[in-house]
Amino acid sequence: MPPMLRTVDGRFRLWGAAMLLLALVFAIVVAPRLRVETSIFALLPADERDAGAEQAVRVYTDQLARNSVFLVGAGDFAAARRAAGAFADTLKGSGQFSQVRLQVDQALAEAARADLPYRDYLLAARHREWLQQGQLQRLHDEAQRALYTPAGFMRPFNAAEDPLGLLSAFVTEQRPPTGRARLQEDVLALSGKDPAGRELSYVLVVAQAGNSAFSVATEEAAGQAIAAARTAAAAAGATDIVGSGVIQHAAAAVASGKREMSLFSGISLAGTVLLMLLAFRSLRPLLLTALAMAFGAIAGLTACQWIFGQVHLVTLVFGSSLIGTSVDYAIFFFADRFRQPGDWQPVQAPDFVTPGIALGYLTTALSYLALLLAPFPGLRQIATFSAVGLGVACGCVLFLLPRLARNWPVPPRALVLRLIDRLAALPRIASPRARLLLAVAGLLFVGGGLLRLDFLDDVRALQSSPPPLIRQEVRMRELLGQSADRRFFLVRGDSPEQVLQREEALRARLAPLLADRRLGNLLAVSEALPSQQLQATNHALLAQRVYGSDGLLPRLMRELGYGEDAVARQLASFAAGGAPLQPQAFFASAASEPYRPLWLGDVAGGSASAVTLFDVNDADAVAQAAAGLPGVRLIDKLADISEVLSRYRRIAMLLIVAVYLVTGLLMSRRYGYRGAAAMLLPAFGGGALALALLAWAGVPINLFHVLALLLVMGMGSDYTIFLRESRSAEAPALLAVVLATLTAVLSFGLLGFSSTPFLRAIGLVQALGVSFAVILALLLRPTRDSTQWMPR
Amino acid sequence: MTGSMSWGVGHFLLGGLLVAAQLLCGNASAADAQDVFAHPLSPTQMSALLGPAAKPLAAAPGLRGRFEQRKTLPDLPRPLLSTGEFLFARDLGVWWHTRTPFDSVFILTREGARSRDEGGAETRINADEQPGVAVAARIFFALFALDFEALSKDFDTYGVPTGTGKSSGWQVGLRPKLAAMSAVFREALIDGTQHANRIELRDAHGDRTEILLPEVSILTDGLSAADRQRFAN
């Protein structure tokens, strides 16, 4: 070992320098650029197999996430209209929304007429069929009916613009799902029941956020704007306002995350401070511990920012629980004082505590690092943050504290001394018979519990929204009367044209499903913007059958009594051409408004679009529709993630066994095989008991519960290692372990109150598992004079 | 959210306006069409214009009659003529049976619109799919109920009395407030005495549709079973 590292002083200087460097780097480079990620989508595993699809899906999700839909309700339409006006004006005034749509009248009128210049290229599907099959008489009769009867009044174009009603049919064939909302005066409205059961009129307001819904700044500002708008609407007479949209959920998640982070950290810190003051009765240990924890936190944040480019809010909430863990090493260090209360030399402490602390950290780090294997970015961040943070805290304890700590003259509290004596007198289960009994009882409990074990690999384990928000979503769906399915088709191609052609192929496959209602409705860009290929087909058909000199149009016109010059004019205007409808022109016009969110534009080296589905009644048939179509894929994020959760849960169970084995092997180098096994037993038992307890309580288990078992192993074995390693008298070591356990259980127990289900799972299993592990360790500890488990 | 809306709102509400006009008995006389849009009226004034007999007729369960429709298009030397009969039922909708030049039935109800040819060809538009159809039905029923208040929400209303003495009558003008509807017709005129005798629709392109109603009778006793059957699917 280099001379520098041999002395306490040398290590102190080296590590101290490193810590100062770390602090500098953090202050100058990391802190100003620290990005806290709040989007739930950042927690989800990326599609490992198809990066292009993953990117496209994220673009789509981002676009969708910007939309918020509101229904402003009041007793009568006039009041609702007024209140909706106030609502919309407030939203517009906030500057957070690039588009707030209340009045639809003008837009509808424009949208209806937008296709007129392209009439020679657009045909409804049924007319294309009739023309292809030569069924001109049907077209003729339809046109006649329109001119002579009121049936023709339901058309957006008049006889001169659209003599055969072809363009009108194309426009009315598109049926963007509007649900129950109807045009009333100049807004979209519907009537429905409020939560109290009263019949109200609701007016629809749709808002689109200007920035990504997943930036903290947007969420907070948008959330405030929405709150202000609700107040304004209520003042104008609204009695019920229903809102739905990702922004509101994201804002709620951020608010709760921040709340939890501060609450949990606060309580953890307070509890830890209290315990340490009680035990050590001096401020210096506390301050030094705080120093170690601070450096640990800084190191964790730096590592995350460096490796991942951002830190997720969930990582920070979890990080608050590390307060209770990182303090353990300091406690172990200071507990060494009890070895020689009056005459303690901190610089000598490392000789006694280093093996225990270092080995303890290694097992804990190993268990966190095993989390890196799960493809969940959230877990990987937690693993990195914890392993690095704890490591640096451990290093500070081992290298800084020996030089900075001082023995303190204040004698331990009488209370503490009594406690130490009590602890020494704790029963231990030493006799083989007693141990056998314990083992059998344990096995029964655990076995019975495991039999009742219920697995639920639900993606909702990742994030859950507050119930009021979820209720609003449900009500919105009921009131609007339609719901877009979470599944959608992703259509990709090398160019916009290829994407449109592929969409058309997909829609052809889905047409029979629509006809017999196995699929309620769909929304696709190609409905309103046919591919150039299809438009060329349409044009050719019109040229051949309709606008030829003996085509359908001249015949009809002569029948009606038009003169030859009128006929000639119509034929000439067709021949003069016009151009097909191009994507750019389409997306710039008012007619494209319902379709814009579906167009994903340039993504992953090509183009992409989404096809939304409504009322999927036969999921298998819908999924089959994409079979064999290149570039078309049904995306079902919910099923995908649930599948990942389930797959990795199974892997995790194997992982636990593997980690136990590896840890056991590592420990056996120091303690021998039996020793290692004996030391891992409390951790293993603690985890099993925790799991069984949950099973008895009827709590379904998912991946995160299983992963927490890993962490239990890491932390549980910490305590058994320390008990074995401490050369001090037994009782002080026990005290240290009990203190450390209390702080750890406090921290992780707090996580059990998190609003994020997977953090709850981890916290619960950790707290229970570590408690049981320590109890087992205490019960099964060998007597101090036994040399059985002493290190070699 | 909606990409298209009903296009015939205006034209078809005319049928309903015809109901509103079945109040007075008298002779028809046509007023100068240019004048009426210089005389905006409020809903109450409209009711007053149409006369005190308007109220009882508002409660009529139904109406039937004959019609003659004349459609004049630019460049078309002769107008397109169609004739037939119609039936309005307050609770069901409107049934419009064209007899010449071909046989075709058109039915508008709250659920939607459908039309049936003698050849059996049928088209159907549900109110759910085309929000505009629901608008048409709503406006029509408001007319049938002589609800000028409801009408005035969607239209600017105008009216003038016409003629004198025994041939006194009225002329009502309507202009849509909504841009979406004014794409369909720019303005509408209804002439009537005891009932509406003539309806004229003008659109922005010069198309003119004129509907004459030579015979109208009020079904004070409600619809017969046969009549109800007409609305059945």
Side-chain angles (χ1 to χ4, degrees):
Chain A
M1 209 191 294
M4 187 74 156
L5 292 173
R6 276 196 211 147
T7 64
V8 171
D9 264 347
R11 290 183 213 151
F12 171 74
R13 288 201 197 109
L14 205 57
W15 189 264
M19 288 299 100
L20 283 176
L21 189 64
L22 175 67
L24 269 175
V25 165
F26 183 77
I28 298 175
V29 175
V30 174
R33 262 178 250 170
L34 195 62
R35 237 194 80 197
V36 177
E37 175 66 68
T38 55
S39 156
I40 177 188
F41 295 106
L43 288 175
L44 302 179
D47 192 338
E48 306 128 352
R49 293 158 293 175
D50 193 344
E54 186 66 31
Q55 191 190 353
V57 169
R58 278 180 204 243
V59 170
Y60 180 51
T61 325
D62 184 66
Q63 264 170 226
L64 277 187
R66 293 180 189 222
N67 287 344
S68 297
V69 178
F70 301 96
L71 284 173
V72 181
D76 63 272
F77 175 75
R81 171 77 181 78
R82 263 197 313 275
F87 190 89
D89 288 337
T90 315
L91 285 184
K92 277 184 226 175
S94 74
Q96 288 302 312
F97 297 92
S98 61
Q99 211 186 62
V100 180
R101 178 74 76 193
L102 168 64
Q103 286 141 315
V104 296
D105 178 42
Q106 199 63 36
L108 285 180
E110 283 170 23
R113 311 275 307 165
D115 285 331
L116 189 56
Y118 311 102
R119 66 176 184 172
D120 296 332
Y121 291 88
L122 303 171
L123 278 179
R126 74 167 186 277
H127 287 161
R128 188 167 42 247
E129 245 178 67
W130 290 354
L131 288 176
Q132 276 166 339
Q133 291 162 11
Q135 295 181 16
L136 301 183
Q137 190 60 35
R138 291 180 79 171
L139 201 48
H140 171 272
D141 291 346
E142 198 182 79
Q144 236 194 3
R145 206 189 310 128
L147 290 166
Y148 285 99
T149 77
F153 297 150
M154 303 280 168
R155 288 184 174 193
F157 301 100
N158 69 0
E161 294 163 333
D162 188 26
L164 293 170
L166 298 170
L167 186 59
S168 304
F170 172 78
V171 171
T172 54
E173 190 187 47
Q174 300 163 44
R175 300 182 287 135
T178 59
R180 295 174 53 233
R182 300 279 176 260
L183 186 67
Q184 191 161 348
E185 289 187 23
D186 56 345
V187 298
L188 288 171
L190 54 87
S191 61
K193 288 204 166 63
D194 73 353
R198 287 173 302 207
E199 192 79 25
L200 296 181
S201 284
Y202 290 91
V203 172
L204 190 73
V205 179
V206 179
Q208 197 175 58
N211 300 312
S212 165
F214 296 117
S215 88
V216 181
T218 308
E219 285 153 10
E220 287 181 340
Q224 280 163 3
I226 293 173
R230 281 175 178 257
T231 317
T239 50
D240 183 29
I241 303 172
V242 185
S244 100
V246 171
I247 276 192
Q248 296 171 93
H249 293 260
V254 170
S256 88
K258 283 185 176 175
R259 218 177 22 241
E260 281 174 11
M261 196 174 66
S262 15
L263 188 67
F264 295 168
S265 313
I267 297 180
S268 276
L269 270 174
T272 307
V273 164
L274 199 64
L275 280 171
M276 290 205 66
L277 279 178
L278 272 175
F280 298 122
R281 286 190 87 191
S282 166
L283 215 47
R284 203 181 180 108
L286 195 60
L287 290 173
L288 290 174
T289 310
L291 187 75
M293 276 162 47
F295 277 125
I298 290 176
L301 284 173
T302 309
C304 276
Q305 180 76 7
W306 183 39
I307 297 176
F308 299 101
Q310 32 94 330
V311 182
H312 203 285
L313 188 60
V314 145
T315 310
L316 291 178
V317 176
F318 184 88
S320 66
S321 72
L322 287 185
I323 290 174
T325 336
S326 55
V327 84
D328 291 355
Y329 304 126
I331 290 177
F332 291 164
F333 180 86
F334 286 113
D336 186 59
R337 175 194 177 227
F338 293 109
R339 177 171 51 86
Q340 275 178 297
D343 196 20
W344 185 53
Q345 303 279 347
V347 294
Q348 286 175 358
D351 292 339
F352 297 95
V353 299
T354 303
I357 291 181
L359 200 55
Y361 167 70
L362 275 177
T363 55
T364 306
L366 191 67
S367 64
Y368 273 112
L369 289 177
L371 286 186
L372 285 176
L373 292 172
F376 290 86
L379 284 178
R380 288 185 174 166
Q381 272 198 21
I382 285 175
T384 312
F385 186 92
S386 307
V388 172
L390 284 177
V392 166
C394 178
C396 288
V397 165
L398 289 178
F399 303 133
L400 293 182
L401 260 54
R403 283 299 273 129
L404 294 177
R406 299 275 178 274
N407 195 7
W408 59 96
V410 178
R413 270 178 195 274
L415 173 68
V416 173
L417 286 173
R418 266 209 305 276
L419 190 61
I420 290 179
D421 289 333
R422 282 279 176 78
L423 285 175
L426 263 183
R428 53 167 63 94
I429 302 182
S431 73
R433 254 184 71 186
R435 290 187 176 204
L436 189 62
L437 269 175
L438 182 67
V440 169
L443 276 173
L444 278 177
F445 183 77
V446 170
L450 291 182
L451 281 177
R452 291 167 58 106
L453 209 53
D454 203 9
F455 292 110
L456 185 62
D457 299 308
D458 195 338
V459 76
R460 283 189 288 270
L462 287 175
Q463 192 115 358
S464 75
S465 284
L469 279 185
I470 296 183
R471 271 198 296 276
Q472 295 239 315
E473 296 283 344
V474 173
R475 284 200 62 222
M476 178 65 75
R477 267 203 298 276
E478 280 169 4
L479 287 170
L480 280 181
Q482 66 161 32
S483 56
D485 202 272
R486 65 167 193 272
R487 293 163 286 207
F488 63 94
F489 282 103
L490 181 68
V491 181
R492 290 168 62 199
D494 300 323
S495 64
E497 172 64 15
Q498 196 180 51
V499 168
L500 290 171
Q501 285 179 18
R502 287 175 172 175
E503 268 196 24
E504 280 160 0
L506 175 65
R507 279 171 49 221
R509 293 267 189 98
L510 291 174
L513 298 179
L514 286 167
D516 58 12
R517 306 294 299 176
R518 276 179 288 168
L519 174 62
N521 203 349
L522 61 81
L523 193 65
V525 174
S526 55
E527 289 178 302
L529 172 65
S531 64
Q532 298 299 304
Q533 189 186 55
L534 196 60
Q535 291 190 45
T537 308
N538 293 338
H539 189 83
L541 276 174
L542 288 172
Q544 192 190 10
R545 306 262 195 213
V546 174
Y547 286 93
S549 50
D550 63 342
L552 180 59
L553 184 65
R555 269 194 285 132
L556 182 67
M557 287 180 80
R558 283 172 196 134
E559 254 178 51
L560 297 174
Y562 278 98
E564 282 307 312
D565 45 336
V567 175
R569 267 203 301 278
Q570 283 279 1
L571 294 182
S573 98
F574 177 84
L581 177 59
Q582 300 282 0
Q584 262 150 321
F586 174 71
F587 286 112
S589 82
S592 61
E593 201 186 311
Y595 303 97
R596 281 186 210 138
L598 298 176
W599 191 253
L600 306 175
D602 295 323
V603 140
S607 295
S609 76
V611 173
T612 332
L613 305 170
F614 297 84
D615 299 321
V616 175
N617 297 319
D618 185 347
D620 294 325
V622 169
Q624 262 308 103
L629 288 180
V632 177
R633 213 181 115 183
L634 181 65
I635 306 279
D636 184 354
K637 264 291 170 201
L638 202 80
D640 285 349
I641 295 167
S642 298
E643 194 264 338
V644 169
L645 280 175
S646 151
R647 185 160 35 110
Y648 277 90
R649 181 176 45 74
R650 277 177 263 271
I651 294 178
M653 286 165 158
L654 292 174
L655 194 64
I656 289 179
V657 173
V659 172
Y660 265 103
L661 281 175
V662 170
T663 313
L665 280 171
L666 274 177
M667 290 167 80
S668 69
R669 288 196 50 190
R670 193 165 167 77
Y671 305 110
Y673 291 117
R674 287 189 74 180
M679 290 177 65
L680 285 179
L681 184 64
F684 181 80
L689 284 170
L691 204 62
L693 187 64
L694 287 178
W696 281 106
V699 175
I701 305 294
N702 61 30
L703 169 66
F704 303 100
H705 293 106
V706 173
L707 288 177
L709 288 179
L710 264 179
L711 302 181
V712 165
M713 185 221 75
M715 286 196 59
S717 49
D718 259 10
Y719 302 129
T720 48
I721 288 172
F722 190 71
L723 274 178
R724 296 294 180 273
E725 287 292 337
S726 61
R727 306 265 184 88
S728 57
E730 183 192 29
L734 285 178
L735 176 69
V737 166
V738 166
L739 270 182
T741 309
L742 283 175
T743 55
V745 169
L746 173 67
S747 298
F748 283 107
L750 282 173
L751 271 191
F753 293 98
S754 172
S755 59
T756 308
F758 89 89
L759 286 182
R760 266 205 306 273
I762 293 180
L764 198 59
V765 173
Q766 269 279 58
L768 284 174
V770 166
S771 310
F772 285 135
V774 169
I775 291 173
L776 279 177
L778 289 176
L779 288 176
L780 295 175
R781 71 192 188 282
T783 49
R784 203 27 48 159
D785 45 277
S786 153
T787 55
Q788 262 190 323
W789 311 126
M790 290 305 274
R792 295 193 202 132
Chain B
M1 286 176 76
T2 42
S4 54
M5 78 157 271
S6 164
W7 313 110
V9 172
H11 285 223
F12 221 58
L13 70 85
L14 266 290
L17 202 42
L18 155 143
V19 177
Q22 303 319 316
L23 340 147
L24 327 149
C25 299
N27 332 32
S29 75
D32 181 6
Q34 306 311 314
D35 271 350
V36 70
F37 291 105
H39 302 272
L41 291 186
S42 71
T44 27
Q45 288 167 328
M46 293 285 285
S47 302
L49 174 68
L50 266 45
K55 301 296 181 292
L57 276 162
L63 290 163
R64 70 162 4 109
R66 283 198 305 116
F67 70 85
E68 285 168 28
Q69 179 178 306
R70 204 170 301 174
K71 197 183 206 65
T72 311
L73 302 172
D75 294 342
L76 196 58
R78 298 182 307 276
L80 304 175
L81 285 171
S82 59
T83 64
E85 53 180 349
F86 67 89
L87 177 65
F88 291 111
R90 175 187 265 277
D91 54 347
L92 291 170
V94 61
W95 175 83
W96 191 271
H97 180 199
T98 308
R99 282 194 193 275
T100 66
F102 53 78
D103 199 291
S104 170
V105 170
F106 179 78
I107 300 169
L108 175 65
T109 64
R110 279 205 172 88
E111 282 77 51
R114 59 182 188 274
S115 85
R116 211 160 33 213
D117 286 353
E118 62 185 320
E122 177 161 330
T123 47
R124 193 181 275 266
I125 310 170
N126 286 329
D128 291 336
E129 296 162 9
Q130 291 284 356
V133 171
V135 176
R138 188 187 76 227
I139 290 177
F140 157 66
F141 291 130
L143 284 169
F144 191 47
L146 284 177
D147 194 349
F148 288 113
E149 292 282 350
L151 276 181
S152 66
K153 289 208 178 74
D154 295 298
F155 296 95
D156 292 324
T157 50
Y158 308 82
V160 289
T162 56
T164 48
K166 282 208 0 212
S167 64
S168 64
W170 44 266
Q171 188 179 60
V172 161
L174 293 174
R175 281 192 178 143
K177 286 183 180 174
L178 294 181
M181 273 168 39
S182 56
V184 175
F185 75 94
R186 194 169 40 92
E187 56 196 24
L189 287 119
I190 306 104
D191 294 283
T193 50
Q194 294 157 355
H195 51 80
N197 300 313
R198 181 175 162 274
I199 301 149
E200 187 178 320
L201 294 174
R202 300 171 184 163
D203 83 353
H205 307 272
D207 292 5
R208 239 173 11 112
T209 308
E210 202 183 333
I211 304 177
L212 295 172
L213 306 163
E215 290 164 25
V216 174
S217 57
I218 302 143
L219 306 169
T220 41
D221 299 326
L223 265 67
S224 68
D227 284 338
R228 286 197 170 272
Q229 195 51 38
R230 296 189 205 277
F231 288 90
N233 280 350

